[in-house]
Amino acid sequence: MKKVLELINALVLLIMFLLVMTTIVFRNILVIPSSWSQELSEYIFVFIVFIGSAAVMKDEGHIGIDTVTILLPKKVQRIVRIIGRLLIAPFLYVLVAGSLPNIGATWNNYLPTVPWFRMGVIYLIVLISGIIMSYYLIYNLILDLRGVYRLKTRIDELTHHESEGKEDTE
Amino acid sequence: MIYFITLGLIGMLSLGIPVAFALGGSALFGYLYNAGPNAVLSVISRRMMFGLNNFLLLAIPLFILSAKIMNSSKITSKIFGFAHSVVGFLPGGLGHANVVASLIFAGMSGAAVVDAAGLGQIELEAMQDGGYDKEFSVAITAASSTIGPIFPPSLPMVVFGFMSGVSVGRLFLGGVVPGLIMTVILMLLVSWYAHRRGYPRLGMLSFKGLVKSLLDAILPLLTPVILLGGIWSGAFTPTEAAAIAVLYALVIGKLALKELGYKEIKQVFIDTARETAIIGIIVAASGFYGWILMRSGLTVRIANTLMTISDNPLIIFLVVNLFLLVIGCFLDPTVAILILTPILMPVIQRVGIDPVHFGVVMVLNLMIGLLTPPFGIVLFVMQQVSGLSYGRVVKATAPFLLPLLIVLVLIVIFPDLVIGLPNMLYAGR
């Protein structure tokens, strides 16, 4: 699922870039204001953030501060990770539960400049993202409880181009 | 409520909970505690949505994208080649080239970490082949990578502009002079090391060779001119400028240099979307957190407390700077800007500090934190790229903090170094 989400997101990012380019071309070359492409690109950005965040949840790649936890013994680190996930859970619950009324309230509203775009769709994305994030949260929690959780650091992510060859042989 | 959003937040962050969830969670607990049974759960996703729904924020993925495209094509090595041919004749030539290349790259990218991870790789290899010791190479690469977010365009400044409402165009122009000062001071330090350690220099390059390397690098060199000119003249917004930068990088990489395959482009888009999500979700969460923060009245209290220390702008500014230096050791710059800008801006405005001045100072200040343990992310990247131990990277980089601190003090004391250029160029507009 993570791979699919990432691919969709890469494609959507491309669309966002093209929409911003459209805005520029319309205004500067055709001298026609194009607020539809601008507004649409803003919502697409929201899509990228929420769907992307869901994908990142799989290997828990969201930025956090490990200055304190890294000093703890490995066993305590595991307990802290588990407590941390339990503290995130209520927030994700509220994110999901709170999106439902928003979807209902905005489903029949359309973006003024893009008549086919239901405003409710964007809260639907938040809902879906919240559900996937919760799924991965529980998934990682269970892995950790069973003692098979593998920690991945953000630095690996940042420099993965350099170590790509090594990763392939693993 | 205040305890939840202050101590609760700090507690959750120290537990290693991701920043986005620590912000959202602590604000949620504060909200539930206050509102009790009247709590409206739908407000959270609504506030997060409002926090994200801004055209300016689209500049974040676009600037990351352009920098990554340049890193995956050979543009970065062309830039380094050009820098080397211009300043290579100085003692410690490759060290100087390292600094100058970072400055040029800064004109196209807006993030220090991208600079360190991409260009840094090339710089380290070149310096090793040139007979420089690893420690020095790592230190100068790390230090010069902080020019990236100061010299425009700059990701942290976009985020600051978004949070504070300050013009991003002015912030960008405000970073020009400090970025140049950083370059000069770092080059002075390289010269000093070169004299003491007898680092090699390159013979004067022939005029022909210089022209050739200039032609190789001319397209990338023009980027900041196009971007700043476009924003300043009003032809495009910062976000549109970022899109132009992406297009430009694609055109150079694909057509002019022919060194960019579709596979690389795909990977760049995947990586960028991922990093966008990581930053974006924090922006969204801070939209909700900021709303709670405003309701709690904490910012007013902090402002009042700070004002009791002194009403001298310079002293307040120094206190704020010391605070930021400490925070910078623990928080990623973008994260720190997202959390602290709404808290600090009221104070800054009340004592009459120019918000553009403050923005540039804040970004530079937090950049220093990228090079300090325990959480200096550039240090970790350098460790990974160079293969040195973390301790040795820290020790090697430490002397290079001094020039950065000197620049910080300079731009704090002389605001005109920052706001002079934007005020001049925007005068009468």
Side-chain angles (χ1 to χ4, degrees):
Chain A
M1 177 158 68
K2 183 190 165 218
K3 279 244 163 76
V4 178
L5 292 177
E6 282 182 338
L7 267 182
I8 295 175
N9 238 0
L11 202 67
V12 170
L13 178 64
L14 180 67
I15 297 173
M16 189 196 92
F17 163 63
L18 294 175
L19 280 172
V20 177
M21 289 310 297
T22 312
T23 312
I24 303 173
V25 170
F26 265 81
R27 205 191 48 238
N28 284 318
I29 300 175
L30 306 173
V31 206
I32 308 168
S34 152
S35 42
W36 65 270
S37 54
Q38 181 168 335
E39 282 199 38
L40 203 56
S41 61
E42 284 171 22
Y43 283 103
I44 283 183
F45 173 71
V46 175
F47 178 98
I48 295 173
V49 169
F50 276 97
I51 296 302
S53 288
V56 173
M57 271 308 260
K58 188 182 180 198
D59 40 54
E60 307 202 315
H62 283 289
I63 308 182
I65 299 160
D66 53 3
T67 323
V68 183
T69 48
I70 220 158
L71 303 172
L72 302 168
K74 281 259 163 2
K75 268 189 182 161
V76 186
Q77 277 190 27
R78 188 173 145 210
I79 297 168
V80 167
R81 278 203 303 269
I82 292 169
I83 296 174
R85 293 197 193 97
L86 294 177
L87 281 170
I88 299 174
F91 176 71
L92 287 181
Y93 167 74
V94 170
L95 191 67
V96 171
S99 301
L100 279 171
N102 284 331
I103 297 173
T106 54
W107 190 251
N108 286 322
N109 299 355
Y110 295 88
L111 205 61
T113 51
V114 191
W116 49 266
F117 189 88
R118 286 174 186 272
M119 304 286 280
V121 168
I122 211 69
Y123 287 107
L124 186 64
I125 305 270
V126 179
L127 180 83
I128 295 170
S129 162
I131 291 173
I132 301 175
M133 284 200 264
S134 312
Y135 166 74
Y136 281 136
L137 189 82
I138 297 167
Y139 172 84
N140 281 314
L141 186 65
I142 292 174
L143 283 190
D144 219 355
L145 286 172
R146 287 169 52 198
V148 286
Y149 178 76
R150 239 184 85 228
L151 201 66
K152 212 179 163 198
T153 66
R154 183 161 168 245
I155 307 300
D156 296 335
E157 197 60 49
L158 279 168
T159 50
H160 79 108
H161 280 299
E162 285 77 41
S163 55
E164 217 159 42
K166 272 180 269 166
E167 273 171 11
D168 286 344
T169 55
E170 269 175 20
Chain B
M1 192 168 185
I2 285 182
Y3 291 113
F4 281 104
I5 57 173
T6 50
L7 298 179
L9 175 67
I10 294 169
M12 287 176 88
L13 286 175
S14 351
L15 281 179
I17 294 179
V19 178
F21 301 118
L23 279 170
S26 59
L28 173 68
F29 294 137
Y31 177 64
L32 292 178
Y33 176 77
N34 241 39
N38 302 324
V40 187
L41 295 188
S42 63
V43 81
I44 284 101
S45 52
R46 231 176 17 245
R47 283 290 149 191
M48 286 177 78
M49 190 64 65
F50 290 154
L52 266 187
N53 199 348
N54 188 309
F55 192 61
L56 180 56
L57 287 174
L58 274 63
I60 295 175
L62 293 172
F63 275 133
I64 299 179
L65 196 54
S66 66
K68 279 190 184 291
I69 293 172
M70 283 184 239
N71 266 340
S72 356
S73 68
K74 294 252 167 65
I75 299 178
T76 28
S77 51
K78 300 269 188 236
I79 292 173
F80 188 68
F82 171 70
H84 193 194
S85 67
V86 174
V87 290
F89 68 92
L90 294 166
L94 278 167
H96 292 289
N98 190 323
V99 179
V100 172
S102 290
L103 175 70
I104 301 174
F105 192 66
M108 294 182 300
S109 98
V113 180
V114 182
D115 179 334
L119 180 64
Q121 184 95 357
I122 297 167
E123 292 172 338
L124 279 182
E125 272 166 27
M127 288 182 78
Q128 246 156 51
D129 295 345
Y132 290 75
D133 50 297
K134 256 189 181 177
E135 270 88 354
F136 178 73
S137 317
V138 159
I140 190 68
T141 306
S144 65
S145 74
T146 57
I147 301 173
I150 308 300
F151 196 79
S154 158
L155 256 183
M157 284 187 198
V158 169
V159 177
F160 177 81
F162 168 71
M163 293 305 287
S164 62
V166 174
S167 143
V168 174
R170 281 174 185 265
L171 286 167
F172 277 6
L173 283 172
V176 171
V177 175
L180 293 175
I181 300 177
M182 282 165 84
T183 309
V184 170
I185 292 202
L186 283 175
M187 284 175 75
L188 286 176
L189 192 65
V190 171
S191 302
W192 185 75
Y193 269 99
H195 271 291
R196 256 188 36 164
R197 298 188 182 167
Y199 284 136
R201 64 163 83 187
L202 202 79
M204 259 301 211
L205 205 73
S206 68
F207 182 70
K208 223 170 141 189
L210 191 69
V211 170
K212 192 189 167 291
S213 68
L214 176 68
L215 284 180
D216 268 349
I218 187 81
L219 288 173
L221 279 171
L222 285 175
T223 326
V225 181
I226 298 172
L227 295 186
L228 285 179
I231 298 175
W232 173 74
S233 68
F236 29 81
T237 62
T239 303
E240 290 165 358
I244 299 275
V246 172
L247 182 72
Y248 196 64
L250 277 174
V251 169
I252 303 178
K254 187 85 202 153
L255 300 178
L257 302 178
K258 295 192 179 62
E259 273 155 350
L260 206 55
Y262 286 105
K263 210 180 146 213
E264 282 96 32
I265 296 181
K266 190 182 107 190
Q267 191 58 44
V268 161
F269 270 84
I270 290 177
D271 288 352
T272 306
R274 183 187 163 90
E275 277 176 41
T276 304
I278 292 175
I279 300 176
I281 198 74
I282 303 174
V283 176
S286 74
F288 173 53
Y289 182 85
W291 181 67
I292 297 289
L293 185 72
M294 216 173 61
R295 285 166 59 111
S296 72
L298 181 68
T299 46
V300 182
R301 274 213 230 171
I302 291 180
N304 287 341
T305 316
L306 267 174
M307 298 290 281
T308 57
I309 302 174
S310 164
D311 50 9
N312 182 335
L314 198 61
I315 292 176
I316 294 278
F317 211 5
L318 284 177
V319 173
V320 168
N321 264 298
L322 285 175
F323 171 68
L324 286 175
L325 277 175
V326 175
I327 290 287
C329 295
F330 299 96
L331 278 186
D332 182 86
T334 314
V335 176
I337 292 169
L338 281 168
I339 300 177
L340 295 175
T341 308
I343 298 177
L344 293 174
M345 271 316 271
V347 188
I348 296 306
Q349 278 165 339
R350 254 167 70 185
V351 294
I353 297 168
D354 187 303
V356 174
H357 182 205
F358 175 64
V360 175
V361 167
M362 184 175 187
V363 172
L364 179 63
N365 186 316
L366 292 170
M367 281 314 131
I368 294 173
L370 288 175
L371 304 181
T372 52
F375 193 63
I377 194 152
V378 168
L379 296 177
F380 289 112
V381 172
M382 284 290 105
Q383 177 199 6
Q384 192 100 346
V385 177
S386 70
L388 284 179
S389 76
Y390 183 67
R392 280 172 75 188
V393 172
V394 171
K395 227 173 122 189
T397 315
F400 285 78
L401 291 173
L402 189 69
L404 299 179
L405 284 169
I406 292 173
V407 179
L408 180 66
V409 172
L410 279 177
I411 66 169
V412 167
I413 299 177
F414 303 108
D416 273 339
L417 292 176
V418 177
I419 54 177
L421 189 65
N423 281 354
M424 194 173 80
L425 288 177
Y426 275 96
R429 274 161 169 273

